[in-house]
Amino acid sequence: MATSKVGRHVTPQPNGRRAPRAQQPRRFTRKSSAPTSRYRGPATIIEWIMSVGLVGLVGLALGLNAVSAYTAPQSAPPISSMAAQQAATPEPGQASDPNSEGISRVGRDVRPPMLGKAADTNAVEVIRKTLAPTLARFPQHDQVSVALIDPSGRMIVGLNEDEPLLPASAIKVATGSALWNTFGPDYHFTTRLMARGDLSPDGVLNGDLFLVGDGDPSLMSELAIDWKVRPPRPTLSMGTIAEAIKKAGIKSITGSVVGVDNIFHGDQIAKGWKDSYISEQNATYIRALSVDRGRVIIPKNENASDERATDKAVYHTTQVGNAEPETFQTIASPDTRKDAAAALTQSLSARGVMVGGLPGAEDALPSDAKEVTAVQGPALRQLVDWMALRSDNHMADMLIRRLDVQEGGDGSFKSASNVVIDHMEQLGIDTANMVMEDGSGLSRDDRVSAMQLAQIVLHMGYTDPDWLGTLALMGETGTTTNRLKNTPAQGRWMGKTGTLDDVSTYVGAIKDRQNGVWTLAMMANKTTSASEAETLQDELLVSLAKVLVPPPSFSPSEG
């Protein structure tokens, strides 16, 4: 039977960023080259008496110190002092220009953060008594996990807290924190336009134009923007790219616009995804070049399961005419590169830049291709914010693969997942039994514990408090807009939800009256009713808000 626990302390690993296993330094003992001599003891009676006296004084001092250490109150492990020592060490290298050539760049150095103060004994006791009735109603088996951590990293309440379970979209806190700390919130992905062939004085490109993906998930067709078939996510419009091409002096193209993904390798879908995810558009094929969240717009009278349906996609025509949005549908694009090239072709045509050939797709650039122009997308902070607030699966899975490329990997799902787990260890989090197969949490093979989720949010809350702003504000924004309105939890919990058919997860942070960050993670797997699990989770969230942020910070009408 599961039991709740108190007092466990979570200590960040002291070494910060680890060296790769193959590069771990070997320990060795340096032999002294100084001449050795044998000590023969006191030479005179006076020296002997002084030596005995000195030994006695040392012994007395050590004895008093031991008594003092035994009787003095025991303090928590010195997390703050470790962090201070880490911060005093020199940086391993200077960060390079985030938008310079090359895919391997130095990110921000991530070290265990300086955490907050431990909760006092009375506060802990009040919290335990307050939460006990609700915790007792949780199903008592290993498919439920709860972890509450105070600002110092000490676990206050735990229920199967180390049991690895399916996190669903709550895993995006791991994805988002790794992205935030690796790229930095002000990083911009760059989509490049390369040409093969000569550009005549009158603006004719005698050859092909290559649209090269940089893993930016924000590319949108003008049609999707105009028809509002996509939510207002951070966007780099194909119209903006077409304008940049025209400004570079290209007035017509004799060849084709060709979409290129030369940085992502491996499968386009993650291990553990259900086959239905693609057909239901919960997931899409992930490449480094994508448009409209990996979906393509086709006429409604087309059979969506027909492989040739995308040949009639509206991007593949230069004029849409008077067609209405209601007469079209979206499906997961089987080749996001080709559809991105087609969408750009359409935007160029709308600006009088004629393209002679049909859109194409390639895995590599010709060696003689030259850059025409480059266009930056939205800042990473906007992407991570949207990914967390709206739980955007396409954005999470595209960005996690781009993260792997940034770290020198092959851009595959498996390599990318390992990079995120390594990053969690750099934050000082114990990643034992943690499994990631994607960035979105759709994979049925993902595994993480409530303790790990709570640690991620706590450590990020102190490493970079701005990151907490990417999480949904309870009762006000994102996936929790309509949850716990008019309660003490509204506007105070910042968190991430995770939901599948049999999974209900929430991990979040709340600041107490002293601005200390508390984190709570709650997971339920194999639940027959996600709503019942959510009800119990909500009771804990409201109870903690009342204890940690008591009146008069909220009005009586809030409950």
Side-chain angles (χ1 to χ4, degrees):
M1 178 175 292
T3 58
S4 62
K5 309 177 185 71
V6 62
R8 173 176 163 193
H9 201 98
V10 182
T11 305
Q13 296 176 1
N15 294 326
R17 186 178 294 276
R18 301 184 308 161
R21 289 184 177 86
Q23 301 176 10
Q24 291 287 351
R26 292 183 298 172
R27 290 185 172 86
F28 63 95
T29 303
R30 184 184 301 277
K31 293 184 178 180
S32 173
S33 59
T36 60
S37 61
R38 181 173 296 177
Y39 178 63
R40 298 181 181 275
T44 67
I45 293 177
I46 294 176
E47 289 180 4
W48 182 82
I49 292 173
M50 292 178 65
S51 298
V52 171
L54 181 60
V55 170
L57 289 173
V58 171
L60 178 61
L62 291 173
L64 290 173
N65 185 63
V67 171
S68 175
Y70 180 78
T71 58
Q74 299 300 303
S75 61
I79 297 177
S80 299
S81 62
M82 286 196 300
Q85 292 171 10
Q86 296 280 344
T89 59
E91 294 292 331
Q94 296 296 321
S96 62
D97 178 4
N99 297 310
S100 62
E101 288 297 321
I103 60 174
S104 181
R105 308 181 182 97
V106 179
R108 299 194 302 168
D109 191 42
V110 180
R111 297 188 174 101
M114 183 178 293
L115 302 181
K117 295 182 179 180
D120 62 54
T121 303
N122 291 335
V124 170
E125 196 61 30
V126 169
I127 289 171
R128 294 184 70 204
K129 288 182 178 180
T130 301
L131 302 187
T134 303
L135 287 170
R137 289 164 47 214
F138 275 83
Q140 298 296 298
H141 55 76
D142 62 3
Q143 297 302 298
V144 171
S145 182
V146 178
L148 172 65
I149 302 178
D150 79 354
S152 74
R154 181 177 54 167
M155 189 183 72
I156 302 302
V157 173
L159 181 69
N160 301 315
E161 68 279 357
D162 291 320
E163 186 69 24
L165 299 176
L166 273 169
S169 284
I171 200 67
K172 290 185 177 78
V173 297
T175 304
S177 65
L179 291 166
W180 193 271
N181 285 322
T182 300
F183 291 102
D186 297 320
Y187 185 90
H188 296 262
F189 297 107
T190 303
T191 300
R192 293 180 297 151
L193 287 304
M194 310 287 287
R196 186 185 188 188
D198 297 326
L199 181 63
S200 69
D202 56 352
V204 177
L205 174 61
N206 294 297
D208 295 327
L209 180 70
F210 297 90
L211 174 65
V212 186
D214 188 34
D216 187 343
S218 71
L219 272 64
M220 298 277 285
S221 69
E222 291 186 278
L223 190 64
I225 295 171
D226 291 343
W227 283 358
K228 297 181 174 60
V229 296
R230 295 286 174 266
R233 67 206 300 262
T235 295
L236 172 57
S237 170
M238 282 296 179
T240 300
I241 297 176
E243 291 286 354
I245 294 169
K246 189 174 181 180
K247 187 177 180 180
I250 295 179
K251 297 180 179 179
S252 67
I253 301 169
T254 62
S256 299
V257 175
V258 180
V260 178
D261 169 13
N262 58 352
I263 60 174
F264 286 4
H265 301 88
D267 292 339
Q268 298 173 52
I269 60 175
K271 183 176 179 288
W273 282 5
K274 289 183 176 181
D275 293 339
S276 60
Y277 286 169
I278 296 294
S279 61
E280 294 171 358
Q281 300 182 62
N282 289 315
T284 55
Y285 298 105
I286 304 299
R287 290 185 180 272
L289 178 62
S290 182
V291 66
D292 295 345
R293 297 175 65 198
R295 292 158 173 79
V296 61
I297 306 173
I298 65 171
K300 273 191 177 179
N301 57 9
E302 291 294 324
N303 181 1
S305 61
D306 187 346
E307 293 182 358
R308 295 171 298 177
T310 56
D311 292 338
K312 298 184 180 180
V314 293
Y315 310 136
H316 295 266
T317 61
T318 57
Q319 298 295 328
V320 179
N322 296 320
E324 296 296 327
E326 292 76 14
T327 63
F328 290 86
Q329 62 181 323
T330 63
I331 62 172
S333 169
D335 192 337
T336 61
R337 303 166 304 172
K338 185 177 179 181
D339 290 325
L344 179 56
T345 300
Q346 190 179 71
S347 290
L348 287 169
S349 175
R351 287 161 177 77
V353 179
M354 295 297 105
V355 181
L358 295 175
E362 296 289 347
D363 290 326
L365 269 171
S367 59
D368 57 346
K370 297 179 181 179
E371 184 168 305
V372 173
T373 188
V375 184
Q376 290 188 345
L380 183 99
R381 68 171 69 246
Q382 294 177 266
L383 303 179
V384 172
D385 184 72
W386 181 268
M387 179 190 75
L389 283 177
R390 300 302 181 101
S391 205
D392 192 312
N393 295 328
H394 169 263
M395 190 169 285
D397 288 321
M398 197 163 175
L399 289 176
I400 194 178
R401 296 187 70 175
R402 180 60 177 82
L403 170 69
D404 185 57
V405 173
Q406 188 78 1
E407 294 291 282
D410 63 3
S412 66
F413 269 112
K414 187 59 182 175
S415 179
S417 300
N418 289 333
V419 164
V420 175
I421 292 176
D422 284 346
H423 184 80
M424 297 303 102
E425 293 182 4
Q426 293 163 20
L427 280 179
I429 294 167
D430 181 1
T431 60
N433 300 316
M434 185 175 181
V435 177
M436 284 188 69
E437 297 292 350
D438 59 8
S440 62
L442 284 173
S443 175
R444 302 291 301 185
D445 294 339
D446 289 339
R447 291 293 184 276
V448 66
S449 69
M451 174 61 75
Q452 289 164 339
L453 287 176
Q455 284 179 292
I456 293 168
V457 174
L458 177 70
H459 284 55
M460 284 302 296
Y462 282 100
T463 300
D464 192 337
D466 286 346
W467 179 86
L468 288 178
T470 68
L471 302 179
L473 194 60
M474 184 63 68
E476 297 183 8
T477 63
T479 57
T480 61
T481 298
N482 299 313
R483 189 170 174 178
L484 292 179
K485 281 185 174 294
N486 301 315
T487 73
Q490 180 177 346
R492 297 188 177 91
W493 280 101
M494 301 161 281
K496 182 74 194 75
T497 56
T499 306
L500 293 171
D501 291 339
D502 56 349
V503 176
S504 179
T505 301
Y506 180 85
V507 58
I510 188 171
K511 292 187 177 182
D512 60 24
R513 297 293 289 275
Q514 289 73 44
N515 212 36
V517 178
W518 294 68
T519 57
L520 173 67
M522 303 169 288
M523 308 177 72
N525 280 193
K526 296 186 178 180
T527 177
T528 56
S529 173
S531 62
E532 288 183 12
E534 187 176 300
T535 297
L536 292 173
Q537 293 170 3
D538 285 352
E539 287 185 18
L540 293 182
L541 293 170
V542 171
S543 296
L544 276 168
K546 288 180 178 179
V547 173
L548 295 174
V549 196
S553 64
F554 61 89
S555 65
S557 64
E558 291 180 304

